[in-house]
Coordinates of all heavy atoms in Angstrom, one line a residue:
D1 N -8.2 8.5 -0.5 CA -9.5 8.4 -1.3 C -9.1 8.0 -2.8 O -8.1 8.4 -3.3 CB -10.2 9.8 -1.4 CG -10.7 10.1 -0.1 OD1 -10.9 9.3 0.8 OD2 -11.0 11.4 0.1
W2 N -9.9 7.1 -3.3 CA -9.8 6.8 -4.7 C -10.2 7.9 -5.7 O -9.6 8.1 -6.7 CB -10.6 5.5 -5.1 CG -10.3 4.4 -4.3 CD1 -9.3 4.2 -3.3 CD2 -11.1 3.1 -4.4 NE1 -9.5 2.9 -2.8 CE2 -10.5 2.2 -3.4 CE3 -12.2 2.6 -5.1 CZ2 -10.9 0.9 -3.2 CZ3 -12.6 1.4 -4.9 CH2 -12.0 0.5 -4.0
V3 N -11.2 8.7 -5.2 CA -11.6 9.9 -6.0 C -11.2 11.1 -5.3 O -11.5 11.3 -4.1 CB -13.2 9.8 -6.2 CG1 -13.7 11.1 -6.9 CG2 -13.6 8.6 -6.9
Q4 N -10.4 12.0 -5.9 CA -9.9 13.2 -5.3 C -10.1 14.4 -6.2 O -10.0 14.3 -7.5 CB -8.4 13.0 -5.0 CG -8.1 11.9 -4.1 CD -6.6 11.7 -3.9 OE1 -6.0 12.6 -3.2 NE2 -6.0 10.7 -4.4
K5 N -10.2 15.6 -5.7 CA -10.1 16.8 -6.4 C -8.7 17.1 -6.8 O -7.8 16.9 -6.0 CB -10.7 17.9 -5.7 CG -10.9 19.2 -6.5 CD -11.7 20.3 -5.7 CE -11.9 21.6 -6.5 NZ -12.6 21.3 -7.8
V6 N -8.4 17.6 -8.0 CA -7.1 17.9 -8.5 C -6.8 19.3 -8.0 O -7.2 20.3 -8.6 CB -6.9 17.8 -10.0 CG1 -5.5 18.2 -10.4 CG2 -7.3 16.3 -10.4
A7 N -6.0 19.4 -6.9 CA -5.7 20.7 -6.4 C -4.3 21.1 -6.9 O -3.6 20.4 -7.5 CB -5.6 20.6 -4.8
P8 N -4.0 22.4 -6.8 CA -2.7 22.9 -7.3 C -1.5 22.1 -6.6 O -1.6 21.8 -5.4 CB -2.6 24.4 -6.8 CG -4.1 24.8 -6.8 CD -4.8 23.6 -6.3
G9 N -0.6 21.6 -7.4 CA 0.4 20.8 -6.9 C 0.2 19.3 -6.8 O 1.0 18.5 -6.5
F10 N -1.1 18.9 -7.2 CA -1.4 17.5 -7.1 C -0.5 16.7 -8.0 O -0.3 17.0 -9.2 CB -2.9 17.3 -7.5 CG -3.4 15.9 -7.5 CD1 -4.0 15.5 -6.3 CD2 -3.3 15.0 -8.5 CE1 -4.5 14.2 -6.2 CE2 -3.8 13.7 -8.4 CZ -4.4 13.3 -7.3
D11 N 0.0 15.6 -7.5 CA 0.9 14.8 -8.3 C 0.9 13.4 -7.7 O 1.4 13.2 -6.6 CB 2.4 15.4 -8.2 CG 3.3 14.7 -9.3 OD1 2.9 13.7 -9.8 OD2 4.4 15.2 -9.5
Q12 N 0.3 12.4 -8.4 CA 0.2 11.1 -7.9 C 0.7 10.1 -9.0 O 0.2 10.1 -10.1 CB -1.2 10.8 -7.5 CG -1.4 9.5 -6.7 CD -2.7 9.5 -5.9 OE1 -3.0 10.3 -5.1 NE2 -3.6 8.6 -6.3
R13 N 1.7 9.3 -8.6 CA 2.4 8.5 -9.6 C 1.5 7.3 -10.0 O 1.5 6.9 -11.2 CB 3.7 7.9 -9.1 CG 4.4 7.1 -10.1 CD 5.6 6.4 -9.4 NE 6.3 5.5 -10.2 CZ 7.1 4.4 -9.8 NH1 7.2 4.2 -8.5 NH2 7.7 3.7 -10.7
N14 N 0.7 6.8 -9.1 CA -0.2 5.7 -9.4 C 0.5 4.4 -9.9 O 0.2 3.9 -11.0 CB -1.3 6.1 -10.3 CG -2.2 7.2 -9.6 OD1 -2.4 7.2 -8.4 ND2 -2.6 8.1 -10.4
F15 N 1.6 4.0 -9.3 CA 2.3 2.9 -9.7 C 1.5 1.6 -9.3 O 0.9 1.5 -8.2 CB 3.6 2.8 -8.9 CG 4.5 1.6 -9.2 CD1 4.8 1.2 -10.5 CD2 5.0 0.8 -8.2 CE1 5.5 0.0 -10.8 CE2 5.8 -0.3 -8.4 CZ 6.1 -0.7 -9.7
M16 N 1.4 0.7 -10.2 CA 0.5 -0.5 -10.0 C 1.2 -1.6 -9.3 O 0.6 -2.6 -8.9 CB 0.0 -1.0 -11.4 CG -1.0 -0.1 -12.1 SD -2.6 -0.1 -11.1 CE -2.6 1.6 -10.5
G17 N 2.5 -1.5 -9.0 CA 3.3 -2.4 -8.1 C 3.1 -2.0 -6.7 O 2.1 -1.5 -6.3
M18 N 4.1 -2.3 -5.9 CA 4.0 -2.1 -4.4 C 4.5 -0.7 -4.1 O 5.5 -0.2 -4.5 CB 5.0 -3.1 -3.8 CG 4.6 -4.6 -4.0 SD 2.9 -5.0 -3.7 CE 2.8 -4.8 -1.9
N19 N 3.5 0.0 -3.4 CA 3.8 1.4 -2.9 C 4.1 1.4 -1.4 O 4.1 2.4 -0.8 CB 2.7 2.3 -3.3 CG 2.6 2.5 -4.8 OD1 3.5 2.9 -5.4 ND2 1.4 2.3 -5.3
G20 N 4.2 0.2 -0.9 CA 4.5 -0.1 0.5 C 4.9 -1.5 0.6 O 4.7 -2.3 -0.3
S21 N 5.3 -2.0 1.8 CA 5.7 -3.4 1.9 C 4.5 -4.3 1.7 O 4.6 -5.4 1.2 CB 6.3 -3.7 3.3 OG 5.3 -3.5 4.3
D22 N 3.3 -3.9 2.0 CA 2.1 -4.7 1.8 C 0.9 -3.9 1.3 O -0.2 -4.3 1.4 CB 1.7 -5.3 3.2 CG 1.7 -4.3 4.4 OD1 2.0 -3.1 4.1 OD2 1.3 -4.7 5.4
Y23 N 1.2 -2.8 0.6 CA 0.2 -2.0 -0.1 C 0.6 -1.9 -1.6 O 1.6 -1.3 -1.9 CB 0.0 -0.7 0.4 CG -0.7 -0.6 1.7 CD1 -0.1 -0.8 3.0 CD2 -2.1 -0.4 1.8 CE1 -0.7 -0.7 4.2 CE2 -2.8 -0.4 3.0 CZ -2.1 -0.6 4.2 OH -2.8 -0.5 5.4
G24 N -0.2 -2.5 -2.5 CA 0.1 -2.4 -3.9 C -1.0 -3.0 -4.8 O -2.0 -3.4 -4.2
G25 N -0.7 -3.1 -6.1 CA -1.8 -3.5 -7.0 C -2.9 -2.5 -7.1 O -2.9 -1.5 -6.4
G26 N -3.9 -2.9 -7.9 CA -5.0 -2.0 -8.1 C -5.7 -2.2 -9.4 O -5.5 -3.2 -10.1
T27 N -6.5 -1.2 -9.8 CA -7.1 -1.2 -11.1 C -6.3 -0.3 -12.1 O -6.2 0.9 -11.8 CB -8.6 -0.7 -11.0 OG1 -9.3 -1.7 -10.2 CG2 -9.3 -0.5 -12.4
P28 N -5.8 -0.8 -13.2 CA -4.9 -0.1 -14.0 C -5.6 0.9 -14.9 O -5.5 0.9 -16.1 CB -4.2 -1.1 -14.9 CG -5.2 -2.2 -15.0 CD -6.0 -2.3 -13.7
V29 N -6.3 1.9 -14.3 CA -7.1 3.0 -15.0 C -6.9 4.2 -14.1 O -6.9 4.2 -12.9 CB -8.5 2.6 -15.1 CG1 -9.3 3.8 -15.8 CG2 -8.7 1.3 -15.9
A30 N -6.7 5.3 -14.9 CA -6.7 6.7 -14.2 C -7.7 7.5 -15.0 O -7.8 7.4 -16.3 CB -5.4 7.3 -14.2
V31 N -8.5 8.3 -14.3 CA -9.4 9.2 -15.0 C -9.3 10.6 -14.4 O -9.1 10.8 -13.2 CB -10.9 8.7 -14.7 CG1 -11.9 9.5 -15.6 CG2 -11.0 7.2 -15.0
V32 N -9.3 11.6 -15.3 CA -9.4 13.0 -14.9 C -10.5 13.7 -15.7 O -10.7 13.4 -16.9 CB -8.0 13.7 -15.1 CG1 -7.6 13.7 -16.5 CG2 -8.1 15.1 -14.5
W33 N -11.3 14.5 -15.0 CA -12.4 15.1 -15.6 C -12.8 16.5 -15.2 O -12.5 16.8 -14.0 CB -13.7 14.2 -15.5 CG -14.3 14.1 -14.2 CD1 -15.3 14.8 -13.7 CD2 -14.0 13.1 -13.2 NE1 -15.7 14.4 -12.4 CE2 -14.9 13.4 -12.1 CE3 -13.1 12.1 -13.0 CZ2 -14.8 12.7 -10.9 CZ3 -13.0 11.4 -11.8 CH2 -13.9 11.6 -10.8
R34 N -13.2 17.2 -16.1 CA -13.8 18.6 -15.9 C -15.2 18.5 -15.8 O -15.8 17.4 -16.0 CB -13.4 19.6 -17.0 CG -11.9 19.5 -17.4 CD -11.5 20.5 -18.4 NE -12.4 20.5 -19.6 CZ -12.1 20.9 -20.8 NH1 -10.8 21.3 -21.1 NH2 -12.9 20.9 -21.8
K35 N -15.9 19.6 -15.6 CA -17.3 19.6 -15.5 C -18.0 19.2 -16.9 O -19.1 18.6 -16.9 CB -17.8 21.1 -15.2 CG -19.2 21.1 -14.5 CD -19.4 22.5 -14.0 CE -20.5 22.5 -12.9 NZ -20.7 23.9 -12.3
D36 N -17.3 19.5 -18.0 CA -17.8 19.3 -19.3 C -17.3 18.1 -20.0 O -17.9 17.6 -21.0 CB -17.6 20.5 -20.2 CG -16.2 20.9 -20.3 OD1 -15.3 20.4 -19.5 OD2 -15.9 21.5 -21.3
A37 N -16.1 17.5 -19.6 CA -15.5 16.4 -20.4 C -14.3 15.8 -19.6 O -13.8 16.5 -18.7 CB -15.0 16.9 -21.8
G38 N -13.9 14.7 -19.9 CA -12.8 14.0 -19.2 C -12.0 13.1 -20.1 O -12.4 12.8 -21.2
L39 N -10.9 12.7 -19.6 CA -10.0 11.7 -20.2 C -9.8 10.5 -19.3 O -9.6 10.7 -18.1 CB -8.6 12.3 -20.6 CG -8.5 13.4 -21.7 CD1 -7.1 13.9 -21.8 CD2 -8.9 12.8 -23.0
A40 N -9.7 9.4 -19.9 CA -9.4 8.2 -19.1 C -8.3 7.4 -19.8 O -8.3 7.3 -21.1 CB -10.6 7.3 -18.9
V41 N -7.4 6.8 -19.1 CA -6.3 6.1 -19.7 C -6.1 4.8 -18.8 O -6.2 4.9 -17.6 CB -4.9 6.9 -19.7 CG1 -3.8 6.0 -20.2 CG2 -5.1 8.1 -20.6
G42 N -5.7 3.7 -19.5 CA -5.5 2.5 -18.7 C -4.9 1.4 -19.6 O -4.6 1.7 -20.8
H43 N -4.6 0.2 -19.1 CA -4.2 -0.8 -20.0 C -5.2 -1.9 -19.9 O -5.9 -2.1 -18.9 CB -2.7 -1.3 -19.7 CG -2.6 -2.2 -18.5 ND1 -3.1 -3.5 -18.5 CD2 -2.0 -2.1 -17.3 CE1 -2.7 -4.1 -17.4 NE2 -2.1 -3.2 -16.6
V44 N -5.2 -2.8 -20.9 CA -6.2 -3.8 -21.0 C -5.6 -5.2 -21.1 O -6.2 -6.2 -21.6 CB -7.2 -3.6 -22.2 CG1 -8.0 -2.4 -22.0 CG2 -6.4 -3.5 -23.5
E45 N -4.4 -5.3 -20.6 CA -3.8 -6.6 -20.5 C -4.6 -7.5 -19.5 O -5.1 -7.0 -18.5 CB -2.3 -6.5 -20.0 CG -1.4 -5.7 -20.9 CD -1.2 -6.3 -22.2 OE1 -1.0 -7.6 -22.2 OE2 -1.1 -5.6 -23.3
T46 N -4.6 -8.8 -19.7 CA -5.3 -9.7 -18.9 C -4.5 -10.2 -17.7 O -5.0 -11.0 -16.9 CB -5.8 -11.0 -19.7 OG1 -4.7 -11.6 -20.3 CG2 -6.8 -10.5 -20.8

């Protein structure tokens, strides 16, 4: 899933290159949010 609940022990590197021989790339943004507020980080290179 692209959208997941952050459970204890959750750890996802989110490498934008190849994470398998034919699975890779993506949208260079990560977001984490609580019920009241959240943080988003990404890059804006073209």
Side-chain angles (χ1 to χ4, degrees):
D1 293 343
W2 303 355
V3 177
Q4 302 178 70
K5 189 171 180 59
V6 180
F10 183 90
D11 191 351
Q12 194 163 294
R13 182 188 177 206
N14 297 323
F15 179 51
M16 289 292 111
M18 301 308 294
N19 293 307
S21 65
D22 47 357
Y23 285 87
T27 293
V29 178
V31 187
V32 60
W33 69 94
R34 310 182 313 207
K35 206 169 195 176
D36 59 337
L39 288 178
V41 177
H43 80 69
V44 294
E45 299 291 322
T46 56

